[in-house]
Amino acid sequence: MASTPAPEGGSRRKPNQDQEVHKTYMIALSKLVPDKEEAAMVWRQLSNYMLNTGPFGSMHAIRDRETFSCLEWWNMHGGATPLL
C-alpha cells in the first residue's frame, strides 16, 4: 500500500512509532478511561489494532485497507473492539 506524505512533507509513521504522538494519546486515553480494568481492555484492543492482530489481522482487514475509506474499513472490521 502506497503511503501518502504527512502534512508538511514528512513521512508517515504509525502513531506508536512516534514517541510524541504515542505519549500524547496514552495520556489522553488514561484521562478518557480512568477505570483500570476497562483501561486494560482498551489497551488490549489498541494493541491488536497497532499490531494487526485479532480482527485487524485477517486477510480481509489487511486487503480492505487499500480499497475502503477509513469509515468503511472501521465499519467492517472494528466491530470486535467496541471500546475503541
Side-chain angles (χ1 to χ4, degrees):
M1 174 161 135
S3 88
T4 57
E8 301 177 19
S11 61
R12 291 190 184 271
R13 292 183 287 179
K14 287 186 174 186
N16 59 312
Q17 294 174 343
D18 183 314
Q19 287 184 353
E20 184 178 341
V21 171
H22 184 71
K23 178 181 175 184
T24 302
Y25 75 64
M26 294 302 274
I27 290 169
L29 285 172
S30 294
K31 290 179 181 180
L32 288 169
V33 189
D35 179 78
K36 289 183 181 186
E37 289 182 27
E38 187 176 15
M41 290 187 288
V42 171
W43 302 147
R44 278 189 220 97
Q45 290 180 10
L46 185 59
S47 177
N48 283 338
Y49 176 74
M50 289 191 288
L51 294 171
N52 302 317
T53 58
F56 305 112
S58 74
M59 173 188 68
H60 296 289
I62 292 168
R63 184 190 64 211
D64 291 347
R65 290 181 206 154
E66 296 179 25
T67 57
F68 284 31
S69 71
C70 295
L71 182 58
E72 290 172 321
W73 187 89
W74 190 261
N75 282 331
M76 286 297 295
H77 305 289
T81 55
L83 296 175
L84 295 183

